[in-house]
Amino acid sequence: MSRHDYDLFCIGGGSGGVRGSRISATYGAKVAIAEEKYFGGTCVNVGCIPKKLFSYAAHFRDEFHDAAGFGWSGPEPKFHWPTLLANKNKEIERLNGIYERMLDKAGVAILKARATIVDSNTVECGGKSYSAKHILVATGSWPTIPTFPGCEHAITSNEAFFLHALPEAVIVVGGGYIAVEFASIFNGLGVKTTLVYRGKRVLRGFDADLGTRLAEEMQKKGIEIKFESDIASIAKNADGTLAVTFFGGGQARAGVVMYATGRKPNTSNLGLEAAGVKLREDGAIEVNEYLATSVDSIHALGDVTNRINLTPVATAEGMALARTLFRGEPTRMDYDNIATAIFAIPNVATVGLSEELAQSRGHTVEIYKASFRALKHTLSGSDEKTFMKLVVDAPTQRVLGAHMMGAEAGEIIQGIAIALKCGATKAQFDSTIGIHPTAAEEFVTLREKFTD
Ligand code: NDP
């Protein structure tokens, strides 16, 4: 019999913690999980899932507009925010229940309280002390707002998911995933939207074409983008709206100012330092290739390690850790060719290397690109462009990166990701017969090498 209360004590009931706990329990480990807020973590409660539901809602504006060219007419549809909010909340509650039941069914002990680490094998939770052979820290991350005069008037995506009413105008700050997704959502739902970004091109770190082209499409849809701009201060007007002053002059008024300027790992007040767990400069927990921290018995995964902060990465890490600890199969994660989508309108998705990264890693690349109006828009009248790009390693002809902007880009790139994982060459893409008429077939018919 183990001399510990548990084989694994997991702190945090988000995607990675739940998966790690559940799979460990199915491998025969005695597991407890502590969660102080909601099961499912950011993804289920204030992230991927409600965001995608909001994004569906926002897409309808274009759909209603597009329908006219196909012969549909009728009174102009009206959007009712409280209905969307209530339906979204109901669905999230359902998912919270599913997560809890899954854990329960796997035999995981559920503790609904904050847990802190006392030492390498002891956790305190809800006033009780528990010993554990292994401790898993899966506490995720939290959105941050920089400090400036009036910053207390700004909200983050956390609050945007529960707004009592939609404002007439919104200012979204940032140029990453959350900023472009929420700007697209607000705009689609009929809110006058301004995106304020400190740089020259949104989606820094992605293939440059994606950022440039997404901004063009967002602007065409009515979003005002202020590049190389930043907010100096925010004050509250007598009518409750916000008066925003920009650096270098210029003012704007908005009902909501939302900051999407990054997220911070949740590592404060967890007892990590006292237990000897090494943190990086950004506050994230440092882990080795087997997700172990500087203390052998303490492990960490997901956003709290601030590496690739995506739900499917955290769940895969949870699986890998369960195998390593309780199945006798030391499992390393493979972080290459992880596909990702940005649910802006239009969607953007990508897998593998951007043109810039491929070049900086010393590849001589061939570039194939296509930009076109999707078949649907020949009748809808929309001038939305679909964009596709392949980055190919010239000597080996291996496809290093695939990038897309357009309807259902995430659905399409998911399939392409398998090809890249298998090391597909451009010739293999070319010998694949397309499905006609689709946008996706363009990926197997890109013939012309692009020269700048
Ligand atoms: P990101 O790191 O993606 O983007 C942050 C943005 O804010 C960048 O454009 C950055 O500018 C800007 N910024 C940072 N600090 C400041 C500042 N002080 N003042 C003004 N601008 C600033 O963070 P997000 O918050 O958008 O998302 C966090 C993470 O969550 C993502 O990286 C991703 O891993 C995950 N996520 C994934 C989603 C998906 O899979 N669809 C959806 C949402 C989030 P600069 O570029 O100049 O640094």
Side-chain angles (χ1 to χ4, degrees):
M1 225 176 98
S2 167
R3 61 191 175 90
H4 295 291
D5 295 326
Y6 292 104
D7 298 314
L8 178 70
F9 193 109
C10 175
I11 306 178
S15 310
V18 166
R19 181 65 67 92
S21 300
R22 197 163 60 80
I23 302 301
S24 297
T26 62
Y27 291 160
K30 193 176 174 203
V31 183
I33 188 167
E35 169 56 56
E36 62 176 329
K37 235 181 261 99
Y38 28 54
F39 278 94
T42 300
C43 172
V44 167
N45 295 279
V46 285
C48 327
I49 303 295
K51 179 272 311 286
K52 185 106 191 248
L53 294 175
F54 280 7
S55 178
Y56 282 128
H59 269 92
F60 278 104
R61 190 174 75 154
D62 284 351
E63 296 287 332
F64 290 132
H65 182 265
D66 292 351
F70 293 87
W72 292 90
S73 63
E76 198 175 328
K78 287 199 172 61
F79 174 67
H80 190 237
W81 170 251
T83 302
L84 174 64
L85 205 61
N87 289 346
K88 181 268 291 180
N89 290 343
K90 212 164 98 187
E91 173 57 11
I92 301 310
E93 270 172 37
R94 190 182 74 85
L95 294 174
N96 293 145
I98 288 177
Y99 264 68
E100 236 181 285
R101 280 196 297 281
M102 278 189 330
L103 286 163
D104 191 47
K105 237 171 106 181
V108 176
I110 297 173
L111 304 170
K112 292 185 182 175
R114 182 173 174 81
T116 50
I117 296 173
V118 178
D119 62 38
S120 57
N121 294 99
T122 314
V123 172
E124 201 178 271
C125 182
K128 282 193 185 161
S129 182
Y130 300 91
S131 70
K133 186 168 181 208
H134 301 281
I135 295 168
L136 170 58
V137 185
T139 46
S141 62
W142 201 251
T144 57
I145 300 179
T147 306
F148 62 90
C151 61
E152 68 277 9
H153 300 304
I155 64 163
T156 69
S157 51
N158 280 356
E159 295 75 43
F161 283 112
F162 297 96
L163 288 176
H164 293 303
L166 278 184
E168 257 175 55
V170 66
I171 295 175
V172 178
V173 183
Y177 278 88
I178 299 181
V180 298
E181 288 182 341
F182 264 92
S184 296
I185 288 168
F186 282 124
N187 185 57
L189 298 182
V191 180
K192 183 178 172 294
T193 304
T194 306
L195 182 69
V196 174
Y197 176 50
R198 65 183 179 182
K200 285 186 176 152
R201 189 180 60 232
V202 297
L203 297 184
R204 186 171 61 80
F206 290 81
D207 192 281
D209 271 320
L210 293 179
T212 308
R213 287 164 195 264
L214 176 65
E216 281 167 14
E217 294 304 320
M218 288 173 68
Q219 284 165 325
K220 282 197 309 205
K221 289 180 191 296
I223 298 174
E224 184 192 350
I225 306 185
K226 285 177 173 291
F227 290 105
E228 298 184 84
S229 176
D230 212 345
I231 291 178
S233 66
I234 304 176
K236 202 158 200 160
N237 295 315
D239 64 357
T241 58
L242 301 172
V244 172
T245 305
F246 295 96
F247 278 109
Q251 293 216 320
R253 175 191 285 249
V256 168
V257 176
M258 183 188 130
Y259 267 73
T261 47
R263 301 175 61 93
K264 222 176 120 43
N266 285 326
T267 47
S268 305
N269 305 321
L270 276 177
L272 290 163
E273 293 91 337
V277 174
K278 202 167 156 201
L279 302 185
R280 292 196 322 236
E281 228 170 76
D282 60 0
I285 298 180
E286 197 171 286
V287 287
N288 70 11
E289 53 193 349
Y290 296 105
L291 304 166
T293 69
S294 53
V295 178
D296 283 350
S297 56
I298 303 180
H299 311 264
L301 53 73
D303 281 15
V304 78
T305 63
N306 201 16
R307 295 173 307 162
I308 300 176
N309 299 336
L310 300 171
T311 291
V313 173
T315 51
E317 288 176 340
M319 294 281 293
L321 186 70
R323 281 202 195 111
T324 300
L325 296 183
F326 302 113
R327 217 187 181 194
E329 291 172 10
T331 306
R332 263 186 295 223
M333 277 286 295
D334 175 3
Y335 295 101
D336 278 344
N337 288 324
I338 292 172
T340 181
I342 299 134
F343 295 97
I345 302 179
N347 289 178
V348 168
T350 177
V351 60
L353 304 184
S354 65
E355 181 178 348
E356 300 76 26
L357 193 56
Q359 276 166 345
S360 74
R361 288 194 186 172
H363 292 280
T364 304
V365 294
E366 288 174 2
I367 300 298
Y368 298 83
K369 297 192 205 191
S371 174
F372 55 95
R373 200 152 85 134
L375 177 62
K376 181 181 173 186
H377 296 313
T378 57
L379 293 200
S380 76
S382 162
D383 62 352
E384 181 182 300
K385 288 284 192 319
T386 297
F387 171 74
M388 289 171 183
K389 176 170 180 177
L390 288 179
V391 179
V392 178
D393 180 53
T396 63
Q397 285 299 295
R398 248 186 89 167
V399 179
L400 300 173
H403 312 282
M404 176 176 173
M405 177 192 71
E408 305 295 2
E411 306 288 345
I412 293 168
I413 289 291
Q414 181 67 85
I416 303 276
I418 303 171
L420 260 68
K421 206 79 193 159
C422 296
T425 61
K426 178 66 169 61
Q428 286 167 323
F429 268 63
D430 294 347
S431 68
T432 303
I433 306 289
I435 301 175
H436 189 66
T438 62
E441 68 180 315
E442 201 67 30
F443 269 123
V444 295
T445 53
L446 288 167
R447 299 280 182 262
E448 296 275 312
K449 254 182 252 175
F450 181 84
T451 44
D452 228 340

